Amino acid sequence: MTWLAVVLVLVAIQRLAELWLAARNTRRLRAAGGVEIGAGHYPLFILLHAGWLVAIAVSSPGTTAPNLWLLDLYLLLQLARVWVIAALGRFWTTRIISLPGAPLIRTGPYRFVRHPNYWVASLEIAVLPLAFGQIGVAAGFSALNALLIAWRVRVEDRALADRR
């Protein structure tokens, strides 16, 4: 297997595992009275992330050697992703689920920045294609992601406004 194939398969496995965890947490939050907000834009995130991996795969020659510095940066971003997920614990999900009375998380990376998961994901979307020399994929998907994130942050902030 090539570097490109190995990396993309690992990222796809990670994303699928995260979707499983998110679905489990979503079910638990809904069972506890949580309500989903902004569900209409959720499929766009799934399309964006799937399309991002496909775009990297089809636009990169299979023999492309990665820039190891950028690949290392991507790996560091995975540590940040784990930190975010661990900080949110049972509240982490890929959807916006509002559980009345639940506290806002202010530990982990949430001590330093609002919406750290979106910062991490935005950097990942830029860094991984750049690691394989795909400037156009990085720019195009970063722009699309920025539009979706701007929309989502407004929806999420409204959902959490009563807990500030």
Side-chain angles (χ1 to χ4, degrees):
M1 276 182 118
T2 66
W3 271 98
L4 179 65
V6 168
V7 169
L8 293 180
V9 165
L10 289 173
V11 172
I13 290 169
Q14 174 194 16
R15 292 297 201 260
L16 290 171
E18 288 174 1
L19 285 174
W20 173 84
L21 176 62
R24 186 187 73 176
N25 287 346
T26 296
R27 282 190 305 276
R28 289 178 175 173
L29 289 168
R30 284 181 174 154
V35 177
E36 184 170 3
I37 294 127
H41 70 271
Y42 183 73
L44 297 175
F45 278 98
I46 300 298
L47 284 172
L48 178 91
H49 284 263
W52 168 69
L53 287 175
V54 169
I56 295 169
V58 300
S59 62
S60 303
T63 58
T64 302
N67 176 312
L68 294 180
W69 291 104
L70 290 172
L71 201 53
D72 285 345
L73 176 57
Y74 186 83
L75 290 173
L76 283 173
L77 289 169
Q78 300 324 291
L79 295 176
R81 176 181 280 283
V82 169
W83 191 25
V84 167
I85 293 169
L88 287 176
R90 67 185 182 96
F91 297 107
W92 183 83
T93 180
T94 54
R95 297 176 180 270
I96 301 171
I97 306 293
S98 180
L99 182 62
L104 278 182
I105 302 298
R106 297 189 190 277
T107 59
Y110 291 88
R111 287 180 300 191
F112 308 109
V113 64
R114 290 182 58 227
H115 307 292
N117 194 59
Y118 303 143
W119 286 102
V120 170
S122 296
L123 289 168
E124 289 173 336
I125 285 172
V127 169
L128 189 60
L130 289 175
F132 289 96
Q134 297 304 317
I135 296 168
V137 172
F141 278 86
S142 290
L144 291 171
N145 184 62
L147 292 171
L148 276 176
I149 292 294
W151 180 6
R152 185 172 178 114
V153 164
R154 283 193 306 273
V155 172
E156 191 170 309
D157 283 348
R158 279 194 307 263
L160 298 174
D162 64 334
R163 291 186 225 156
R164 297 231 180 276

Coordinates of all heavy atoms in Angstrom, one line a residue, residues 66-157:
P66 N 4.1 11.9 1.0 CA 3.6 13.0 1.8 C 4.8 13.9 2.3 O 5.9 13.4 2.5 CB 2.9 12.3 3.0 CG 3.6 11.0 3.2 CD 4.0 10.6 1.8
N67 N 4.4 15.1 2.6 CA 5.3 16.0 3.3 C 5.2 15.6 4.8 O 4.1 15.7 5.4 CB 4.8 17.5 3.1 CG 5.6 18.4 3.9 OD1 5.9 18.2 5.1 ND2 6.0 19.5 3.3
L68 N 6.3 15.0 5.3 CA 6.2 14.4 6.6 C 6.0 15.4 7.7 O 5.4 15.1 8.7 CB 7.5 13.6 6.9 CG 7.6 12.3 6.0 CD1 8.9 11.6 6.3 CD2 6.4 11.4 6.1
W69 N 6.4 16.7 7.5 CA 6.2 17.7 8.5 C 4.6 18.0 8.6 O 4.1 18.1 9.7 CB 6.9 19.0 8.2 CG 8.4 18.9 8.3 CD1 9.3 18.8 7.3 CD2 9.1 18.9 9.5 NE1 10.5 18.7 7.8 CE2 10.5 18.7 9.2 CE3 8.8 19.0 10.8 CZ2 11.5 18.7 10.1 CZ3 9.8 18.9 11.8 CH2 11.1 18.8 11.4
L70 N 4.0 18.1 7.4 CA 2.6 18.3 7.4 C 1.8 17.1 7.9 O 0.8 17.2 8.6 CB 2.1 18.7 6.1 CG 2.5 20.1 5.6 CD1 2.2 20.4 4.2 CD2 1.9 21.2 6.5
L71 N 2.3 15.9 7.6 CA 1.6 14.7 8.1 C 1.8 14.6 9.6 O 0.8 14.3 10.3 CB 2.3 13.5 7.5 CG 1.4 12.2 7.5 CD1 0.0 12.4 6.9 CD2 2.1 11.1 6.7
D72 N 2.9 15.0 10.2 CA 3.1 15.1 11.6 C 2.2 16.1 12.2 O 1.6 15.9 13.3 CB 4.6 15.4 12.0 CG 5.5 14.3 11.8 OD1 5.1 13.1 11.6 OD2 6.7 14.5 11.7
L73 N 2.0 17.2 11.6 CA 1.1 18.3 12.1 C -0.4 17.7 12.1 O -1.1 17.9 13.1 CB 1.1 19.5 11.2 CG 0.1 20.6 11.5 CD1 0.2 21.1 13.0 CD2 0.3 21.8 10.6
Y74 N -0.7 16.9 11.1 CA -2.0 16.3 11.0 C -2.2 15.3 12.2 O -3.2 15.3 12.9 CB -2.3 15.6 9.7 CG -3.7 15.0 9.6 CD1 -4.7 15.8 9.2 CD2 -4.0 13.7 9.9 CE1 -6.0 15.4 9.1 CE2 -5.2 13.2 9.9 CZ -6.3 14.0 9.5 OH -7.5 13.6 9.4
L75 N -1.1 14.6 12.5 CA -1.2 13.7 13.7 C -1.3 14.4 15.0 O -2.1 14.0 15.9 CB 0.1 12.8 13.7 CG 0.2 11.7 12.6 CD1 1.5 11.1 12.6 CD2 -1.0 10.7 12.7
L76 N -0.7 15.6 15.1 CA -0.8 16.4 16.3 C -2.3 16.9 16.4 O -2.8 17.0 17.5 CB 0.1 17.6 16.3 CG 1.6 17.3 16.6 CD1 2.4 18.5 16.4 CD2 1.7 16.8 18.1
L77 N -2.9 17.2 15.3 CA -4.3 17.6 15.3 C -5.2 16.5 15.8 O -6.2 16.8 16.4 CB -4.7 18.1 13.9 CG -4.1 19.4 13.5 CD1 -4.4 19.6 12.0 CD2 -4.7 20.6 14.3
Q78 N -4.8 15.2 15.6 CA -5.6 14.1 16.1 C -5.5 14.1 17.6 O -6.5 13.7 18.2 CB -5.1 12.8 15.5 CG -5.2 12.8 13.9 CD -6.4 13.5 13.4 OE1 -7.6 13.1 13.6 NE2 -6.2 14.6 12.8
L79 N -4.4 14.5 18.2 CA -4.3 14.5 19.6 C -5.3 15.6 20.1 O -5.9 15.5 21.2 CB -2.9 14.8 20.1 CG -1.9 13.7 19.8 CD1 -0.5 14.1 20.2 CD2 -2.3 12.4 20.5
A80 N -5.3 16.7 19.4 CA -6.2 17.8 19.8 C -7.7 17.4 19.7 O -8.5 17.7 20.5 CB -6.0 19.1 18.9
R81 N -8.0 16.6 18.6 CA -9.3 16.0 18.4 C -9.7 15.1 19.6 O -10.8 15.2 20.2 CB -9.4 15.3 17.1 CG -10.7 14.6 16.9 CD -10.6 13.8 15.6 NE -10.8 14.7 14.4 CZ -12.0 15.2 14.0 NH1 -13.1 14.9 14.7 NH2 -12.1 15.9 13.0
V82 N -8.8 14.3 20.0 CA -9.1 13.4 21.2 C -9.3 14.2 22.4 O -10.1 13.9 23.2 CB -7.9 12.4 21.3 CG1 -8.0 11.6 22.7 CG2 -7.9 11.4 20.2
W83 N -8.5 15.3 22.6 CA -8.7 16.1 23.8 C -10.1 16.8 23.8 O -10.7 16.8 24.9 CB -7.6 17.2 23.7 CG -7.4 18.0 25.0 CD1 -7.7 17.7 26.3 CD2 -6.9 19.4 25.0 NE1 -7.4 18.7 27.1 CE2 -6.8 19.8 26.4 CE3 -6.4 20.2 24.1 CZ2 -6.4 21.0 26.8 CZ3 -5.9 21.5 24.5 CH2 -5.9 21.8 25.8
V84 N -10.5 17.2 22.7 CA -11.9 17.8 22.6 C -12.9 16.7 22.9 O -13.8 17.0 23.7 CB -12.1 18.3 21.1 CG1 -13.6 18.6 20.9 CG2 -11.3 19.6 20.9
I85 N -12.8 15.6 22.3 CA -13.8 14.5 22.6 C -13.8 14.1 24.0 O -14.8 13.9 24.7 CB -13.5 13.3 21.6 CG1 -13.8 13.7 20.2 CG2 -14.3 12.1 22.1 CD1 -13.4 12.7 19.1
A86 N -12.6 14.0 24.6 CA -12.5 13.6 26.0 C -13.1 14.7 26.9 O -13.7 14.4 27.9 CB -11.0 13.3 26.4
A87 N -12.9 15.9 26.6 CA -13.4 17.0 27.4 C -14.9 17.0 27.4 O -15.5 17.3 28.5 CB -12.9 18.4 26.9
L88 N -15.5 16.8 26.3 CA -17.0 16.7 26.2 C -17.6 15.4 26.7 O -18.7 15.4 27.1 CB -17.4 17.0 24.8 CG -17.3 18.4 24.3 CD1 -17.7 18.5 22.8 CD2 -18.1 19.4 25.1
G89 N -16.8 14.4 26.7 CA -17.3 13.1 27.2 C -18.6 12.7 26.6 O -18.7 12.7 25.4
R90 N -19.6 12.4 27.4 CA -20.8 11.9 26.9 C -21.6 12.9 26.2 O -22.6 12.6 25.5 CB -21.7 11.3 28.1 CG -22.1 12.4 29.1 CD -22.9 11.8 30.3 NE -23.3 12.8 31.2 CZ -24.6 13.3 31.1 NH1 -25.4 12.9 30.3 NH2 -24.9 14.2 32.0
F91 N -21.2 14.2 26.2 CA -21.9 15.2 25.5 C -21.3 15.4 24.0 O -21.9 16.2 23.3 CB -21.8 16.6 26.2 CG -22.5 16.5 27.5 CD1 -21.7 16.5 28.7 CD2 -23.8 16.5 27.7 CE1 -22.3 16.5 29.9 CE2 -24.5 16.5 28.9 CZ -23.7 16.5 30.0
W92 N -20.2 14.7 23.7 CA -19.6 14.9 22.4 C -20.5 14.1 21.3 O -20.8 13.0 21.5 CB -18.2 14.4 22.3 CG -17.6 14.6 21.0 CD1 -17.1 15.8 20.5 CD2 -17.6 13.7 19.9 NE1 -16.7 15.7 19.2 CE2 -17.0 14.4 18.8 CE3 -18.0 12.4 19.7 CZ2 -16.8 13.8 17.5 CZ3 -17.8 11.8 18.4 CH2 -17.2 12.5 17.4
T93 N -20.8 14.8 20.3 CA -21.6 14.3 19.2 C -21.3 15.1 18.0 O -20.8 16.3 18.1 CB -23.1 14.2 19.5 OG1 -23.7 13.6 18.4 CG2 -23.7 15.5 19.9
T94 N -21.6 14.6 16.8 CA -21.4 15.4 15.6 C -22.6 16.2 15.2 O -22.6 16.9 14.3 CB -21.0 14.4 14.4 OG1 -22.0 13.4 14.3 CG2 -19.7 13.8 14.6
R95 N -23.6 16.1 16.0 CA -24.8 16.8 15.9 C -24.9 17.9 17.0 O -24.2 17.8 17.9 CB -26.1 15.9 15.9 CG -26.1 14.9 14.8 CD -27.3 14.0 15.0 NE -27.3 13.0 13.9 CZ -28.0 13.2 12.7 NH1 -28.6 14.3 12.5 NH2 -28.0 12.2 11.9
I96 N -25.9 18.8 16.8 CA -26.1 19.8 17.9 C -27.3 19.2 18.7 O -28.4 19.3 18.2 CB -26.4 21.2 17.4 CG1 -25.3 21.7 16.5 CG2 -26.7 22.1 18.5 CD1 -25.6 23.0 15.8
I97 N -27.0 18.7 19.9 CA -28.0 18.1 20.7 C -28.0 19.0 22.0 O -27.0 19.0 22.7 CB -27.7 16.6 21.1 CG1 -27.6 15.8 19.9 CG2 -28.9 16.1 22.0 CD1 -28.8 15.6 19.0
S98 N -29.1 19.6 22.3 CA -29.3 20.4 23.5 C -30.0 19.6 24.5 O -31.1 19.2 24.3 CB -30.0 21.7 23.1 OG -30.1 22.5 24.3
L99 N -29.3 19.5 25.6 CA -29.9 18.8 26.8 C -30.2 19.8 27.9 O -29.3 20.4 28.5 CB -28.9 17.7 27.3 CG -29.4 16.9 28.5 CD1 -30.7 16.1 28.1 CD2 -28.3 16.0 29.0
P100 N -31.5 20.1 28.1 CA -31.8 21.2 29.0 C -31.2 20.9 30.4 O -31.2 19.8 30.9 CB -33.4 21.1 29.1 CG -33.8 20.5 27.8 CD -32.7 19.5 27.4
G101 N -30.6 22.0 31.0 CA -30.0 21.9 32.3 C -28.6 21.4 32.3 O -27.9 21.4 33.3
A102 N -28.1 20.9 31.1 CA -26.7 20.4 31.1 C -25.8 21.6 31.2 O -26.0 22.6 30.6 CB -26.5 19.6 29.8
P103 N -24.7 21.4 31.9 CA -23.7 22.5 32.0 C -22.9 22.7 30.7 O -22.8 21.8 29.9 CB -22.8 22.1 33.1 CG -22.8 20.6 33.0 CD -24.2 20.2 32.6
L104 N -22.4 23.9 30.5 CA -21.5 24.1 29.4 C -20.1 23.6 29.9 O -19.7 23.7 31.1 CB -21.3 25.6 29.1 CG -22.3 26.3 28.2 CD1 -22.0 27.7 28.0 CD2 -22.5 25.5 26.9
I105 N -19.5 22.9 29.0 CA -18.1 22.4 29.3 C -17.1 23.5 29.3 O -17.0 24.2 28.2 CB -17.8 21.2 28.4 CG1 -18.8 20.1 28.4 CG2 -16.4 20.7 28.7 CD1 -19.0 19.4 29.8
R106 N -16.4 23.7 30.3 CA -15.3 24.7 30.3 C -14.0 24.2 30.7 O -13.1 24.9 31.2 CB -15.8 25.8 31.3 CG -17.1 26.5 30.9 CD -17.3 27.7 31.7 NE -18.7 28.3 31.5 CZ -19.0 29.1 30.5 NH1 -18.1 29.4 29.6 NH2 -20.2 29.5 30.3
T107 N -13.8 22.9 30.5 CA -12.5 22.2 30.8 C -11.8 21.9 29.5 O -12.4 22.0 28.4 CB -12.7 21.0 31.7 OG1 -13.6 20.1 31.0 CG2 -13.4 21.3 33.0
G108 N -10.6 21.3 29.6 CA -9.9 20.9 28.4 C -9.6 22.1 27.5 O -9.4 23.2 28.0
P109 N -9.8 21.9 26.2 CA -9.5 23.0 25.3 C -10.6 24.1 25.4 O -10.3 25.2 24.9 CB -9.5 22.3 23.9 CG -10.3 21.1 24.1 CD -10.1 20.7 25.5
Y110 N -11.7 23.8 26.0 CA -12.8 24.8 26.1 C -12.4 25.9 27.1 O -13.0 26.9 27.1 CB -14.1 24.1 26.5 CG -14.6 23.3 25.4 CD1 -14.2 21.9 25.3 CD2 -15.5 23.8 24.5 CE1 -14.7 21.2 24.2 CE2 -15.9 23.0 23.4 CZ -15.5 21.7 23.3 OH -16.0 21.0 22.2
R111 N -11.3 25.7 27.9 CA -10.8 26.8 28.8 C -10.2 27.9 27.9 O -10.1 29.0 28.4 CB -9.8 26.2 29.7 CG -10.3 25.4 30.8 CD -9.2 24.9 31.7 NE -8.2 24.1 30.8 CZ -7.3 23.4 31.3 NH1 -7.0 23.3 32.6 NH2 -6.5 22.7 30.5
F112 N -9.7 27.5 26.8 CA -8.9 28.4 26.0 C -9.6 29.0 24.8 O -9.2 30.1 24.3 CB -7.6 27.7 25.5 CG -6.8 27.0 26.6 CD1 -6.8 25.7 26.7 CD2 -6.2 27.8 27.6 CE1 -6.2 25.0 27.7 CE2 -5.5 27.2 28.6 CZ -5.5 25.8 28.7
V113 N -10.5 28.3 24.2 CA -11.1 28.7 22.9 C -12.5 28.2 22.8 O -12.8 27.1 23.3 CB -10.2 28.3 21.7 CG1 -10.2 26.8 21.6 CG2 -10.7 28.9 20.4
R114 N -13.4 29.0 22.2 CA -14.7 28.5 21.9 C -14.7 27.6 20.7 O -14.0 27.8 19.8 CB -15.7 29.7 21.6 CG -15.9 30.5 22.9 CD -16.9 31.7 22.7 NE -18.1 31.2 22.2 CZ -18.8 31.8 21.1 NH1 -18.2 32.8 20.5 NH2 -19.9 31.3 20.8
H115 N -15.5 26.6 20.7 CA -15.6 25.7 19.6 C -14.3 25.1 19.1 O -14.0 25.1 17.9 CB -16.3 26.4 18.4 CG -17.6 27.0 18.7 ND1 -18.7 26.3 19.1 CD2 -18.0 28.3 18.8 CE1 -19.7 27.1 19.4 NE2 -19.3 28.4 19.2
P116 N -13.5 24.5 20.0 CA -12.2 23.9 19.6 C -12.4 22.8 18.5 O -11.5 22.7 17.7 CB -11.6 23.4 20.9 CG -12.7 23.2 21.8 CD -13.8 24.3 21.4
N117 N -13.4 22.1 18.6 CA -13.6 21.0 17.6 C -13.6 21.6 16.2 O -13.1 21.0 15.2 CB -14.9 20.2 17.9 CG -14.9 18.9 17.1 OD1 -14.1 18.1 17.3 ND2 -15.9 18.8 16.3
Y118 N -14.3 22.7 16.0 CA -14.4 23.3 14.6 C -13.0 23.8 14.2 O -12.7 23.8 13.0 CB -15.4 24.4 14.6 CG -16.8 23.9 15.0 CD1 -17.6 24.7 15.8 CD2 -17.2 22.6 14.7 CE1 -18.9 24.2 16.1 CE2 -18.5 22.2 15.1 CZ -19.3 23.0 15.8 OH -20.5 22.5 16.2
W119 N -12.2 24.3 15.1 CA -10.9 24.8 14.8 C -10.0 23.6 14.3 O -9.3 23.7 13.3 CB -10.2 25.5 16.0 CG -10.7 26.8 16.3 CD1 -11.6 27.2 17.2 CD2 -10.4 28.0 15.6 NE1 -11.9 28.5 17.2 CE2 -11.2 29.1 16.1 CE3 -9.6 28.3 14.5 CZ2 -11.1 30.4 15.7 CZ3 -9.5 29.6 14.0 CH2 -10.3 30.6 14.6
V120 N -10.1 22.5 15.1 CA -9.3 21.3 14.8 C -9.7 20.8 13.4 O -8.9 20.5 12.5 CB -9.5 20.2 15.8 CG1 -8.8 18.9 15.4 CG2 -8.8 20.7 17.1
A121 N -11.0 20.6 13.2 CA -11.5 20.1 11.9 C -11.1 21.0 10.7 O -10.8 20.5 9.7 CB -13.0 19.9 12.0
S122 N -11.2 22.3 10.9 CA -10.8 23.2 9.9 C -9.3 23.1 9.5 O -9.0 23.1 8.3 CB -11.1 24.7 10.3 OG -12.5 24.8 10.5
L123 N -8.5 22.9 10.5 CA -7.1 22.8 10.3 C -6.8 21.4 9.6 O -6.0 21.3 8.6 CB -6.3 22.9 11.5 CG -6.2 24.3 12.1 CD1 -5.6 24.3 13.5 CD2 -5.4 25.2 11.2
E124 N -7.5 20.4 10.0 CA -7.4 19.1 9.3 C -7.7 19.1 7.9 O -7.0 18.6 7.0 CB -8.3 18.0 10.0 CG -8.0 17.6 11.4 CD -9.0 16.7 12.0 OE1 -10.2 16.8 11.6 OE2 -8.7 16.0 12.9
I125 N -8.8 19.8 7.6 CA -9.3 19.9 6.2 C -8.2 20.6 5.3 O -8.1 20.3 4.1 CB -10.7 20.6 6.1 CG1 -11.7 19.6 6.6 CG2 -11.0 21.1 4.7 CD1 -13.1 20.1 6.8
A126 N -7.5 21.5 5.9 CA -6.4 22.2 5.1 C -5.1 21.4 5.1 O -4.5 21.2 4.0 CB -6.2 23.6 5.7
V127 N -4.7 20.8 6.2 CA -3.4 20.2 6.3 C -3.3 18.9 5.6 O -2.3 18.7 4.9 CB -3.0 20.1 7.8 CG1 -1.8 19.2 8.0 CG2 -2.8 21.4 8.5
L128 N -4.3 18.0 5.7 CA -4.1 16.7 5.1 C -3.9 16.8 3.6 O -3.0 16.2 3.0 CB -5.2 15.8 5.4 CG -5.0 14.3 5.0 CD1 -3.8 13.7 5.7 CD2 -6.2 13.5 5.3
P129 N -4.7 17.5 2.8 CA -4.4 17.6 1.4 C -3.1 18.3 1.1 O -2.4 17.9 0.1 CB -5.6 18.4 0.8 CG -6.5 18.8 1.9 CD -6.0 18.2 3.2
L130 N -2.7 19.3 1.9 CA -1.5 19.9 1.7 C -0.3 18.9 1.9 O 0.7 19.0 1.2 CB -1.3 21.1 2.6 CG -2.2 22.3 2.3 CD1 -2.0 23.4 3.4 CD2 -1.9 22.9 0.9
A131 N -0.5 18.0 2.8 CA 0.6 17.0 3.0 C 0.8 16.2 1.8 O 1.9 15.6 1.6 CB 0.2 16.1 4.2
F132 N -0.2 16.1 0.9 CA 0.0 15.3 -0.4 C 0.0 16.3 -1.6 O -0.2 15.9 -2.7 CB -1.1 14.3 -0.5 CG -1.0 13.2 0.4 CD1 -1.7 13.2 1.6 CD2 -0.1 12.1 0.2 CE1 -1.5 12.2 2.6 CE2 0.1 11.1 1.1 CZ -0.6 11.1 2.3
G133 N 0.4 17.6 -1.3 CA 0.6 18.5 -2.4 C -0.7 19.0 -3.1 O -0.6 19.6 -4.2
Q134 N -1.8 18.9 -2.5 CA -3.1 19.2 -3.1 C -3.6 20.6 -2.6 O -4.5 20.7 -1.8 CB -4.2 18.1 -2.9 CG -3.8 16.8 -3.5 CD -3.5 17.0 -5.0 OE1 -4.2 17.7 -5.7 NE2 -2.4 16.4 -5.5
I135 N -3.0 21.6 -3.1 CA -3.4 23.0 -2.7 C -4.8 23.3 -3.0 O -5.6 23.9 -2.2 CB -2.4 24.0 -3.3 CG1 -1.0 23.8 -2.8 CG2 -2.8 25.5 -3.0 CD1 0.1 24.5 -3.6
G136 N -5.3 22.9 -4.2 CA -6.6 23.2 -4.6 C -7.7 22.5 -3.8 O -8.7 23.1 -3.4
V137 N -7.4 21.3 -3.4 CA -8.3 20.5 -2.5 C -8.4 21.2 -1.2 O -9.4 21.4 -0.6 CB -7.9 19.1 -2.4 CG1 -8.8 18.3 -1.3 CG2 -8.1 18.4 -3.7
A138 N -7.2 21.6 -0.7 CA -7.1 22.3 0.6 C -7.9 23.6 0.6 O -8.7 23.9 1.5 CB -5.7 22.5 1.0
A139 N -7.7 24.4 -0.4 CA -8.4 25.7 -0.5 C -9.9 25.5 -0.7 O -10.7 26.2 0.0 CB -7.8 26.5 -1.6
G140 N -10.3 24.7 -1.6 CA -11.7 24.5 -1.9 C -12.5 24.0 -0.8 O -13.5 24.5 -0.4
F141 N -12.0 22.9 -0.2 CA -12.7 22.3 0.9 C -12.6 23.2 2.2 O -13.6 23.2 3.0 CB -12.3 20.9 1.2 CG -12.9 19.9 0.3 CD1 -12.4 19.7 -1.0 CD2 -14.1 19.3 0.6 CE1 -13.0 18.8 -1.9 CE2 -14.7 18.4 -0.3 CZ -14.2 18.2 -1.5
S142 N -11.6 23.9 2.4 CA -11.5 24.9 3.5 C -12.5 26.0 3.3 O -13.2 26.4 4.3 CB -10.1 25.5 3.6 OG -9.1 24.5 4.0
A143 N -12.7 26.4 2.1 CA -13.7 27.5 1.9 C -15.1 26.9 2.2 O -16.0 27.6 2.8 CB -13.6 28.0 0.5
L144 N -15.4 25.8 1.6 CA -16.7 25.2 1.9 C -16.9 24.9 3.4 O -18.0 25.2 3.9 CB -16.9 23.8 1.1 CG -17.0 24.0 -0.4 CD1 -16.9 22.6 -1.0 CD2 -18.2 24.7 -0.8
N145 N -15.9 24.4 4.0 CA -16.0 24.1 5.5 C -16.2 25.4 6.3 O -17.0 25.5 7.2 CB -14.7 23.4 6.0 CG -14.8 23.1 7.4 OD1 -15.7 22.3 7.8 ND2 -13.9 23.6 8.2
A146 N -15.6 26.5 5.9 CA -15.7 27.8 6.6 C -17.2 28.3 6.5 O -17.7 28.8 7.5 CB -14.8 28.8 6.0
L147 N -17.8 28.1 5.3 CA -19.2 28.5 5.2 C -20.1 27.6 6.1 O -21.0 28.2 6.8 CB -19.7 28.3 3.7 CG -19.0 29.3 2.7 CD1 -19.4 28.9 1.3 CD2 -19.5 30.7 3.0
L148 N -19.9 26.3 6.1 CA -20.7 25.4 7.0 C -20.5 25.7 8.4 O -21.4 25.8 9.2 CB -20.4 24.0 6.7 CG -21.1 23.4 5.5 CD1 -20.6 21.9 5.3 CD2 -22.6 23.4 5.7
I149 N -19.2 25.9 8.8 CA -18.9 26.2 10.2 C -19.5 27.5 10.7 O -20.1 27.6 11.8 CB -17.4 26.2 10.4 CG1 -16.8 24.8 10.3 CG2 -17.0 26.8 11.8 CD1 -17.2 23.8 11.3
A150 N -19.5 28.5 9.8 CA -20.1 29.8 10.2 C -21.6 29.6 10.5 O -22.1 30.2 11.5 CB -19.8 30.8 9.1
W151 N -22.2 28.9 9.6 CA -23.7 28.6 9.8 C -23.9 27.8 11.1 O -24.7 28.2 11.9 CB -24.1 27.8 8.6 CG -25.6 27.4 8.6 CD1 -26.6 27.8 9.5 CD2 -26.2 26.6 7.6 NE1 -27.8 27.2 9.1 CE2 -27.6 26.5 7.9 CE3 -25.7 26.0 6.5 CZ2 -28.4 25.7 7.2 CZ3 -26.6 25.2 5.7 CH2 -28.0 25.1 6.1
R152 N -23.1 26.8 11.3 CA -23.3 25.9 12.4 C -23.0 26.6 13.8 O -23.7 26.4 14.7 CB -22.4 24.7 12.3 CG -22.6 23.7 13.4 CD -21.9 22.4 13.1 NE -22.1 21.4 14.2 CZ -22.7 20.3 14.0 NH1 -23.2 19.9 12.9 NH2 -22.8 19.4 15.0
V153 N -22.0 27.4 13.8 CA -21.7 28.1 15.0 C -22.8 29.0 15.4 O -23.2 29.1 16.6 CB -20.3 28.9 14.9 CG1 -20.2 29.9 16.0 CG2 -19.2 27.9 14.9
R154 N -23.4 29.7 14.5 CA -24.6 30.5 14.8 C -25.7 29.7 15.4 O -26.3 30.1 16.4 CB -25.1 31.3 13.6 CG -24.2 32.5 13.2 CD -24.9 33.4 12.2 NE -25.3 32.7 11.0 CZ -24.5 32.5 9.9 NH1 -23.3 32.9 9.9 NH2 -25.0 31.9 8.8
V155 N -26.0 28.6 14.8 CA -27.1 27.7 15.3 C -26.7 27.2 16.7 O -27.5 27.2 17.6 CB -27.3 26.5 14.3 CG1 -28.2 25.4 14.9 CG2 -27.8 27.0 12.9
E156 N -25.5 26.7 16.8 CA -25.1 26.2 18.1 C -25.1 27.2 19.2 O -25.5 27.0 20.3 CB -23.7 25.6 18.0 CG -23.3 24.7 19.2 CD -22.0 23.9 18.9 OE1 -21.9 23.2 17.9 OE2 -21.1 24.0 19.8
D157 N -24.6 28.4 18.9 CA -24.6 29.5 19.9 C -26.0 29.9 20.3 O -26.2 30.1 21.5 CB -23.9 30.7 19.4 CG -22.3 30.6 19.4 OD1 -21.8 29.6 20.0 OD2 -21.7 31.4 18.8

